[in-house]
Amino acid sequence: ALLGKRLPKYPPVAGTMLHQLLNLVRLPEYMTELSRGHRTFRMLTPTCNYVYTVDPANVEYILRTNFANYGKGTMTHDALEDLLGDGIFNVDGAKWRHQRKEASFEFTTRALREYSSGVFRDVAAELAGILAAAAVAGERVDMEGLFMRSTLDSIYFQEDCILSLKFLPLLLAALSSVLLLALYLARLALLGKRRRSYQPVAGAMIQQLLNWGRLPDYMTELSRRYGTFRMLTLNCNWVFTVDPANVEYILRTNFANYGKGAMTHDALEDLLGDGIFNVDGAKWRHQRKVASFEFTTRALREYSSGVFRDMGAELAGIVAAAAAAGKKVDMENLFMRSTLDSTFTIGFGVNLGSLSGSNQEGAAFARAFDEASEQSLYRFLDPLWKAKRLLGVSSEAAMKRSVRTINHFVYTVIDKKIDQMGRNQQEFAKKGDILSRFLLEREKDPGCFDNKYLRDIILNFVIAGRDTMAGTLSWFLYVLCKDQRIQDKIGQEVREATTGDHQDVGGVQEFTACLTEDAIGSMHYLHAALTETLRLYPAVPTDVKCCFSDDTLPDGHAVRRGDMVNYHPYAMGRMKFLWGDDADEFRPERWLDDDGVFVPESPYKFTAFQAGPRICLGKEFAYRQMKIFAAMLLYLFRFEMWERDSTVGYRPMLTLKMDGPLYVRASPRRSTGN
Ligand code: HEM
């Protein structure tokens, strides 16, 4: 992205608007001459560039490949509005789509085809008659004039125009058919406008603020009552839906019309910068491409599996020590620390040591990151946040402090890495972490991205990998503490897939060696239990997209440009109309077929990983790590809540984080050998 910024390559300048004015009477010729010199060029005007091209590849790109990025725009629309209004020639987006659909239908009806063919034949016969008369009389004929008058575009009735008089009935017939069509389209457009029905209003922002501590459940209650509804705010509608057809529409069918938008970008910019989570268009496409490539390399898969196993073993060691001492363990905290360590190690080749508690700076970073994440979500509901940021007061003062801590920490990591690379290039080239790979790329192509770009990638990677996985593992263990039957079933499956029934291994390290890719792949019940956790406790409980132009959702409800359209994984996971009467029940079996094989659901119904072109890139990655951690812990230990009947809640953040510790008692299922 930075390379794109630093080295923008614009087409050569072939002239200015003045040159075009001087050549106005021969403009097409003049532009043809320029096109011979440059296939693509610019003409400068006081307001913007005019780019001209005769290159078919460019033409295909703007007319088809990246169609969504090129349209009439406001300048053309405003200039032609008095003449063409909001007709098909002069609009983009939903208005264009609607008229195009109606017109496409009308233009292909057999009735219109037959009627117009008759008119054309009659007009042509009249024209031939006039020509015949002129030929007999030896008179000259102005063919251009005849053609003009015989087509619909130039219908002027003048008393001295014999041809028009002759053609009048036919022209009127043709004109009336066109007018009828126009009236029909206008009526449809008007009807469409009149019929535009909006989602019922379920409340206003104030209600969301009043229910802040239990927002996901409050929104679930509203979803049960309304399905799709609006919450009013001062500046735009917030639309919420749990309808899979709507979800598919915004995430896939009409993907180009729904994106992060300026509001989300601004609210998250301090934390996520221009990272993949927070951008649309070309910036998103570029990072998606690079990341998709990185995430599927075998090298990264192997490297990350190794890191997950080591980290899982370290975690198991800590739990074993607590179990031996009969002490309670806060598993939520351990998961947060261990996933932070594993994410950092894979991302940057640096073990933060937060699991072992050896790194104070790492702990401060994690705290600042949580605070910034919570504050970023709050910004969506606080209309004054920008003013507060400007003045550096209240919640925004804390946000500034958190971001400073985060930036200091991340830039230090990057600087250290650059230092390492400088000291031993050859050793460095062997490193499997993502930052090293990016730095090596930068060596080959200096200036392709700077430290700010790397910082944004890091933080996006951290929020992607750390909070989501730690949260899911914590909720997973929580529900398992409440249901020992499921816990034992997973323990048994892990045992069968790894060591078999009769040969328990003694220690963590020994067991780690049994956790092969095949063994992990065969744990269908564990896979189902993790998926069931994500159904009821989706790591990203609500996801919002900005609507770029007026549209109608598949359920018939309209949305306006600028509306914030939310689909709600947390609420969706609890809807009876989607999951049956036992929707609230934790039941991994619902994901398995009769042979016990995991069967995935439509991603538009089970939306925990999003869906469509922006589906989570780390889905497989996440399952692998979660399965390694879960398998290791459940093979070795049995867990129960430290206080038997205690429950845990959540904190409103970008991710569904537990509110407070998850204190459990761990007891060995078998000897850990530690
Ligand atoms: C349980 C674990 C996870 C869940 C539930 C999850 C869920 C999601 C969701 C809902 C999104 C869409 C966010 C949005 O743009 O609105 C997303 C995007 C993404 N996730 Fe995950 N994620 C998980 C783990 C991971 C991991 C471990 C990684 C990588 C290490 C990862 C990488 C990404 C990336 C790069 C995107 C951005 C995709 C794009 O915008 O094109 N995720 N994830």
Side-chain angles (χ1 to χ4, degrees):
L2 223 87
L3 182 65
K5 260 196 191 153
R6 285 239 180 100
L7 303 169
K9 221 180 103 193
Y10 294 104
V13 177
T16 66
M17 198 174 69
L18 191 63
H19 295 93
Q20 289 182 291
L21 284 174
L22 290 173
N23 285 282
L24 200 57
V25 287
R26 54 180 294 274
L27 202 56
E29 272 309 311
Y30 174 63
M31 301 309 282
T32 307
E33 285 158 18
L34 295 182
S35 302
R36 284 198 187 103
H38 313 279
R39 280 150 63 107
T40 304
F41 59 91
R42 269 183 305 159
M43 300 298 279
L44 303 181
T45 77
T47 46
C48 67
N49 289 324
Y50 267 73
V51 177
Y52 294 84
T53 187
V54 291
D55 180 340
N58 287 348
V59 176
E60 180 169 2
Y61 185 74
I62 60 171
L63 296 186
R64 192 185 64 83
T65 325
N66 203 4
F67 172 74
N69 202 37
Y70 298 86
K72 300 282 175 178
T74 47
M75 192 170 145
T76 307
H77 178 267
D78 292 354
L80 300 181
E81 194 178 11
D82 287 339
L83 180 62
L84 298 179
D86 272 354
I88 189 167
F89 275 116
N90 206 26
V91 284
D92 292 313
K95 278 187 185 162
W96 167 76
R97 264 192 304 282
H98 177 69
Q99 294 185 49
R100 175 90 193 180
K101 202 168 140 201
E102 295 306 334
S104 303
F105 173 74
E106 281 303 327
F107 276 48
T108 51
T109 56
R110 195 184 161 129
L112 185 67
R113 203 167 58 240
E114 282 174 1
Y115 176 67
S116 60
S117 294
V119 172
F120 297 151
R121 270 189 218 102
D122 291 348
V123 173
E126 286 276 349
L127 188 60
I130 293 172
L131 286 177
V136 170
E139 286 171 359
R140 68 178 182 179
V141 229
D142 171 9
M143 287 306 292
E144 197 267 337
L146 279 184
F147 283 137
M148 283 297 276
R149 283 179 287 159
S150 60
T151 50
L152 294 180
D153 311 40
S154 56
I155 308 165
Y156 289 102
F157 174 68
Q158 295 165 7
E159 276 185 35
D160 58 347
C161 175
I162 298 163
L163 185 64
S164 292
L165 273 173
K166 280 186 170 185
F167 278 3
L168 192 58
L170 288 172
L171 291 175
L172 282 179
L175 177 60
S176 57
S177 71
V178 170
L179 277 176
L180 273 177
L181 180 62
L183 279 175
Y184 173 70
L185 289 178
R187 203 179 117 252
L188 272 181
L190 221 81
L191 269 181
K193 259 198 189 145
R194 275 215 205 110
R195 262 204 247 115
R196 275 176 91 77
S197 74
Y198 292 97
Q199 304 75 15
V201 176
M205 195 176 71
I206 185 80
Q207 269 115 334
Q208 289 184 281
L209 286 172
L210 290 173
N211 285 282
W212 185 247
R214 55 180 293 275
L215 203 56
D217 280 296
Y218 174 63
M219 302 310 279
T220 305
E221 285 157 19
L222 295 181
S223 302
R224 280 201 189 103
R225 208 173 318 150
Y226 298 101
T228 303
F229 58 93
R230 271 183 301 161
M231 300 296 281
L232 303 180
T233 72
L234 292 178
N235 47 0
C236 67
N237 288 321
W238 281 72
V239 176
F240 291 86
T241 189
V242 289
D243 179 342
N246 287 345
V247 175
E248 179 164 5
Y249 185 76
I250 61 172
L251 294 185
R252 190 183 64 84
T253 323
N254 203 4
F255 173 73
N257 199 35
Y258 297 88
K260 300 280 172 180
M263 189 172 155
T264 303
H265 180 266
D266 290 357
L268 300 182
E269 192 178 10
D270 286 331
L271 180 62
L272 299 179
D274 272 352
I276 187 168
F277 271 116
N278 207 26
V279 284
D280 292 312
K283 276 188 182 165
W284 167 73
R285 264 193 302 280
H286 177 255
Q287 291 187 52
R288 177 91 193 178
K289 205 170 138 196
V290 173
S292 303
F293 174 74
E294 283 297 333
F295 276 43
T296 47
T297 55
R298 197 190 158 120
L300 186 69
R301 206 167 55 240
E302 281 172 6
Y303 176 68
S304 61
S305 289
V307 172
F308 295 151
R309 283 196 194 91
D310 291 349
M311 216 57 80
E314 194 179 339
L315 180 65
I318 294 175
V319 176
K327 283 189 182 159
K328 64 181 176 187
V329 240
D330 176 2
M331 286 306 291
E332 195 267 345
N333 181 279
L334 283 186
F335 283 138
M336 285 300 273
R337 279 154 48 193
S338 55
T339 47
L340 181 64
D341 284 354
S342 61
T343 317
F344 252 79
T345 310
I346 293 160
F348 318 107
V350 174
N351 186 347
L352 289 175
S354 49
L355 188 57
S356 55
S358 57
N359 187 338
Q360 288 308 311
E361 276 196 316
F365 165 82
R367 254 194 322 276
F369 192 73
D370 283 350
E371 279 158 16
S373 161
E374 192 162 355
Q375 183 54 32
S376 300
L377 180 61
Y378 193 70
R379 280 179 172 178
F380 285 97
L381 298 174
D382 180 0
L384 298 178
W385 75 265
K386 282 191 179 170
K388 287 187 195 165
R389 184 173 66 173
L390 198 71
L391 299 171
V393 295
S394 178
S395 49
E396 288 297 322
M399 177 72 169
K400 201 171 173 184
R401 274 195 304 277
S402 304
V403 170
R404 203 181 304 128
T405 308
I406 292 168
N407 285 347
H408 172 73
F409 185 79
V410 171
Y411 285 128
T412 309
V413 170
I414 296 174
D415 287 344
K416 277 189 190 156
K417 204 80 187 152
I418 293 170
D419 192 45
Q420 274 178 20
M421 183 169 68
R423 273 187 271 124
N424 192 341
Q425 273 267 3
Q426 265 183 345
E427 219 19 62
F428 196 82
K430 290 185 204 151
K431 292 196 182 294
D433 62 275
I434 294 175
L435 177 60
S436 302
R437 296 176 71 107
F438 274 103
L439 286 173
L440 287 167
E441 279 302 309
R442 188 160 78 175
E443 277 291 290
K444 283 188 231 151
D445 184 4
C448 57
F449 34 73
D450 65 2
N451 287 0
K452 163 80 170 69
Y453 181 83
L454 291 173
R455 174 254 184 225
D456 291 349
I457 290 183
I458 291 170
L459 286 184
N460 281 255
F461 189 83
V462 171
I463 202 167
R466 183 259 190 147
D467 287 19
T468 48
M469 284 190 297
T472 309
L473 283 166
S474 304
W475 292 112
F476 168 78
L477 198 66
Y478 173 60
V479 286
L480 259 51
C481 284
K482 300 279 175 195
D483 194 329
Q484 291 296 326
R485 178 192 70 87
I486 298 176
Q487 196 180 141
D488 290 344
K489 215 168 157 181
I490 297 172
Q492 184 58 29
E493 182 186 63
V494 173
R495 183 179 163 134
E496 279 162 17
T498 52
T499 58
D501 253 353
H502 306 294
Q503 11 163 334
D504 285 345
V505 294
V508 175
Q509 293 306 336
E510 213 180 317
F511 175 71
T512 307
C514 304
L515 265 181
T516 59
E517 293 287 322
D518 283 350
I520 295 165
S522 69
M523 295 174 192
H524 288 266
Y525 192 75
L526 173 56
H527 200 96
L530 285 166
T531 310
E532 183 72 342
T533 306
L534 281 162
R535 180 179 71 84
L536 289 172
Y537 303 95
V540 182
T542 183
D543 212 302
V544 62
K545 306 287 169 221
C546 177
C547 171
F548 294 139
S549 69
D550 291 3
D551 201 0
T552 303
L553 298 178
D555 66 3
H557 286 129
V559 280
R560 289 198 203 105
R561 177 179 174 190
D563 281 356
M564 302 300 282
V565 184
N566 292 255
Y567 68 93
H568 214 292
Y570 185 91
M572 288 182 87
R574 286 151 198 265
M575 291 294 120
K576 291 195 170 134
F577 82 92
L578 290 175
W579 302 97
D581 285 345
D582 63 355
D584 288 331
E585 210 181 298
F586 185 88
R587 204 169 59 79
E589 286 77 8
R590 76 175 79 239
W591 295 93
L592 301 171
D593 67 11
D594 292 344
D595 299 322
V597 173
F598 179 83
V599 184
E601 264 292 353
S602 154
Y604 304 104
K605 173 180 165 185
F606 171 66
T607 49
F609 289 99
Q610 192 158 272
R614 283 190 92 142
I615 193 169
C616 170
L617 257 177
K619 186 176 166 198
E620 300 313 319
F621 203 79
Y623 269 112
R624 198 166 342 113
Q625 168 155 12
M626 293 191 299
K627 283 173 90 172
I628 290 174
F629 276 31
M632 214 169 251
L633 291 174
L634 295 171
Y635 178 85
L636 297 166
F637 308 101
R638 178 172 284 112
F639 293 91
E640 53 194 324
M641 295 298 283
W642 184 256
E643 283 173 30
R644 212 174 144 68
D645 297 322
S646 61
T647 54
V648 291
Y650 48 72
R651 275 167 68 186
M653 293 186 30
L654 292 175
T655 51
L656 193 74
K657 192 173 176 346
M658 270 183 184
D659 186 16
L662 175 65
Y663 283 130
V664 301
R665 175 179 292 102
S667 43
R669 263 182 216 273
R670 45 190 65 85
S671 162
T672 63
N674 285 338

